[in-house]
Amino acid sequence: MSQRVLVTVAVMAATVMQVLDTTIVNVALPQMQGELGATSDQISWVLTSYLVASAICMPLTGYLTDKLGRRRYLLLSISGFVLASMLCGVALNLGQLVVFRLLQGVFGAALVPLSQAIMVDNYPREQRGKAMAIWGMGVMVGPIAGPTLGGWLTDMFDWRWTFFINLPVGLLSLLLARQVPDTPKRERDIDWLGLLLISLAIGGIQYVLDRGNGDDWFSSTGIVVAAVLAVLGAVGFIWRGLSGSAHPLFDLHMFQDRNFVAASIVIAALGLSMYGAMVIQPIMLEGLFHYPTLDTGLIMAPRGIASLVSMMIVGKLIGRVDSRYLIGTGLLIGASGTWVCTHYNLDTSPFWFAWPVLLQGFGLGMIYVPLSAMAMSTLPSRLSAEAAGLFSLLRTMGSSVGIAIVSTAYSRGEQSAWNALSGFFSADNPWLQDYLARMGKTVVDGTTATQLAAELQRQALMVSIVDVYWLITYSFLAMLPLLLLLRPRKAAPGSEPAVDVVMHE
């Protein structure tokens, strides 16, 4: 087997392992919640802690690559990720699990940008389009296929196996990664203050979103402090980036490019559309409809299949069709898939749970590749590497914020719906009396109160879930006007369509 194939298998195994972990635990969340004694708000920390740690550490990729060498840094990242995965699998409580997920994010942050850079260097220039197609499918399909694999592992074994599965994959990647060509070490400075400021901004925002609902938002001193630190961190980072720092973390002048700004907003907002749906569906299927974990994973499987198909189609069209049309079509297809979900009720059949997921996946697959190309298409080449890193950071943060928004909306929506519906559960309500009569009961029966409370809870959950799907649908549609800001790159007459290849270092 040639070295190129071995290197490709090594880095793609590491990439898929890292991106898979953003969603593989989704379907296992209800089981984790019950075993670890967590609330619906708290269990979402298992997802967001990983994404936040990854987002904060991602800007260090280039610096640590230069300090350690690419191969050594890759081996260190894979080893740390595998060890953190093992620790997640043996966690005894929610606190330990969140800490170990943070470690996963720290070590996994570099795997995606490193793999892209290695794939670019591993193939000759004329084959780089093929290399990026392989890499892109791994990055996109990995998190979409995660719930299906997670459902199978949880149903066949236990939720802990969603972490233990990383051990054989990681060890294979670690063994083959020794074939990766190394890069020379070199001295390099980094803006540590800038990194601290952006970490404060990211961490503060996520803390507010994660804890806001449970702590009654700004009535909590901790929430106020976190919000102030987030604002100060963001303002300080922007000021430092624009004031001519000797070694800025990111050159913020790239935000003068209209394409990059619009694409960055879309990719961040896509976190709510993509990850939000993947969070709420397992909660609905397992928590409300009591589907087995494996069935939940199978119902979510069409998302990954459809995404893979649409990415293959887009790969053939991207040089011939305006990317804005491809992205817009993807947004509309994704919105139609979630709009169908707004019509769910307690009598919905498995078929109606499955086929809208196919639409969602097909739409998302049409968005990612052309959006990434448009983001970099009009930037100067000297900014490509930094822009790619920042674009990836915004994608990760958008996913984390999207999960937090969906979790908060679901929790508050359930409470609000419960309060609104409880007013109809009155002994004088003739509809309630008819409902009880069909079951051969009256309002004074001993078991009536318990049954009505359970039914009220089911109805409130269903209302809340439908409202979340409306929120996701609107998020798809809200991105459409941003396409008007994008402008296609004008190629020279007779030139071939360019393949945008960017590295995250």
Side-chain angles (χ1 to χ4, degrees), residues 301-471:
R303 190 192 312 268
I305 297 171
S307 180
L308 178 61
V309 171
S310 64
M311 287 180 70
M312 293 171 64
I313 294 173
V314 167
K316 296 183 179 297
L317 295 177
I318 197 168
R320 304 168 183 164
V321 179
D322 191 328
S323 292
R324 293 172 296 182
Y325 297 147
L326 296 174
I327 298 169
T329 302
L331 290 173
L332 290 174
I333 293 175
S336 66
T338 51
W339 175 78
V340 173
C341 300
T342 63
H343 295 76
Y344 284 164
N345 57 54
L346 292 171
D347 297 320
T348 301
S349 67
F351 172 77
W352 283 89
F353 289 137
W355 76 263
V357 167
L358 189 146
L359 285 179
Q360 294 167 26
F362 195 90
L364 290 167
M366 291 190 68
I367 297 168
Y368 186 74
V369 174
L371 185 64
S372 300
M374 289 292 287
M376 311 299 164
S377 63
T378 52
L379 279 172
S381 58
R382 63 182 177 82
L383 294 177
S384 292
E386 287 187 68
L390 185 55
F391 193 70
S392 184
L393 172 63
L394 291 170
R395 176 179 60 83
T396 303
M397 271 309 299
S399 304
S400 180
V401 171
I403 290 170
I405 290 174
V406 164
S407 299
T408 300
Y410 168 71
S411 179
R412 293 186 71 87
E414 178 191 351
Q415 185 179 41
S416 176
W418 196 96
N419 292 333
L421 293 173
S422 61
F424 295 98
F425 283 69
S426 167
D428 298 329
N429 188 335
W431 289 352
L432 177 62
Q433 293 172 359
D434 289 342
Y435 171 77
L436 293 173
R438 288 196 296 271
M439 296 189 298
K441 294 183 176 295
T442 66
V443 292
V444 297
D445 289 347
T447 59
T448 296
T450 302
Q451 285 185 310
L452 289 180
E455 183 62 25
L456 176 59
Q457 181 71 13
R458 291 176 69 235
Q459 297 288 346
L461 287 172
M462 191 73 257
V463 170
S464 176
I465 288 168
V466 167
D467 287 344
V468 168
Y469 276 120
W470 273 117
L471 174 64

Side-chain angles (χ1 to χ4, degrees), residues 183-196:
T183 55
K185 299 178 186 178
R186 61 176 180 170
E187 290 300 318
R188 174 172 172 172
D189 293 321
I190 190 173
D191 184 8
W192 291 106
L193 178 57
L195 180 64
L196 174 63

Side-chain angles (χ1 to χ4, degrees), residues 114-127:
L114 274 179
S115 69
Q116 187 177 13
I118 292 169
M119 289 290 284
V120 168
D121 292 344
N122 192 43
Y123 284 78
R125 182 171 296 276
E126 63 272 13
Q127 294 185 28

Side-chain angles (χ1 to χ4, degrees), residues 72-394:
R72 182 176 297 179
Y73 186 32
L74 178 64
L75 293 172
L76 176 64
S77 297
I78 296 172
S79 301
F81 190 87
V82 170
L83 177 61
S85 298
M86 184 181 69
L87 292 173
C88 286
V90 298
L92 300 177
N93 53 56
L94 181 65
Q96 290 183 8
L97 183 56
V98 170
V99 170
F100 297 146
R101 284 286 278 176
L102 284 168
L103 280 177
Q104 266 194 316
V106 169
F107 285 106
L111 291 178
V112 171
L114 274 179
S115 69
Q116 187 177 13
I118 292 169
M119 289 290 284
V120 168
D121 292 344
N122 192 43
Y123 284 78
R125 182 171 296 276
E126 63 272 13
Q127 294 185 28
R128 285 181 180 175
K130 172 185 175 182
M132 286 300 95
I134 296 172
W135 180 85
M137 284 190 287
V139 169
M140 193 65 185
V141 176
I144 293 176
T148 304
L149 178 59
W152 181 78
L153 289 170
T154 304
D155 193 66
M156 295 297 294
F157 304 103
D158 184 67
W159 64 263
R160 298 178 185 276
W161 279 89
T162 60
F163 300 110
F164 290 147
I165 189 64
N166 289 333
L167 272 64
V169 178
L171 291 175
L172 172 66
S173 179
L174 193 63
L175 179 65
L176 296 179
R178 299 180 184 277
Q179 302 293 322
V180 172
D182 207 357
T183 55
K185 299 178 186 178
R186 61 176 180 170
E187 290 300 318
R188 174 172 172 172
D189 293 321
I190 190 173
D191 184 8
W192 291 106
L193 178 57
L195 180 64
L196 174 63
L197 290 170
I198 197 172
S199 298
L200 281 176
I202 293 172
I205 291 171
Q206 196 60 50
Y207 183 89
V208 170
L209 291 171
D210 279 347
R211 299 295 299 272
N213 189 52
D215 294 350
D216 199 20
W217 296 101
F218 293 101
S219 62
S220 165
T221 303
I223 295 296
V224 172
V225 171
V228 170
L229 288 175
V231 172
L232 291 177
V235 172
F237 177 76
I238 294 171
W239 174 80
R240 187 168 177 80
L242 296 176
S243 62
S245 173
H247 305 283
L249 200 61
F250 294 110
D251 187 345
L252 298 183
H253 292 94
M254 67 184 76
F255 282 104
Q256 294 175 346
D257 185 276
R258 191 171 69 182
N259 272 11
F260 183 76
V261 172
S264 296
I265 296 172
V266 172
I267 198 67
L270 200 62
L272 173 61
S273 308
M274 180 177 177
Y275 286 90
M278 286 193 286
V279 167
I280 198 63
Q281 190 160 28
I283 291 175
M284 175 185 67
L285 294 176
E286 296 177 44
L288 185 57
F289 289 87
H290 306 294
Y291 279 33
T293 309
L294 178 58
D295 290 354
T296 299
L298 291 174
I299 287 174
M300 298 178 72
R303 190 192 312 268
I305 297 171
S307 180
L308 178 61
V309 171
S310 64
M311 287 180 70
M312 293 171 64
I313 294 173
V314 167
K316 296 183 179 297
L317 295 177
I318 197 168
R320 304 168 183 164
V321 179
D322 191 328
S323 292
R324 293 172 296 182
Y325 297 147
L326 296 174
I327 298 169
T329 302
L331 290 173
L332 290 174
I333 293 175
S336 66
T338 51
W339 175 78
V340 173
C341 300
T342 63
H343 295 76
Y344 284 164
N345 57 54
L346 292 171
D347 297 320
T348 301
S349 67
F351 172 77
W352 283 89
F353 289 137
W355 76 263
V357 167
L358 189 146
L359 285 179
Q360 294 167 26
F362 195 90
L364 290 167
M366 291 190 68
I367 297 168
Y368 186 74
V369 174
L371 185 64
S372 300
M374 289 292 287
M376 311 299 164
S377 63
T378 52
L379 279 172
S381 58
R382 63 182 177 82
L383 294 177
S384 292
E386 287 187 68
L390 185 55
F391 193 70
S392 184
L393 172 63
L394 291 170

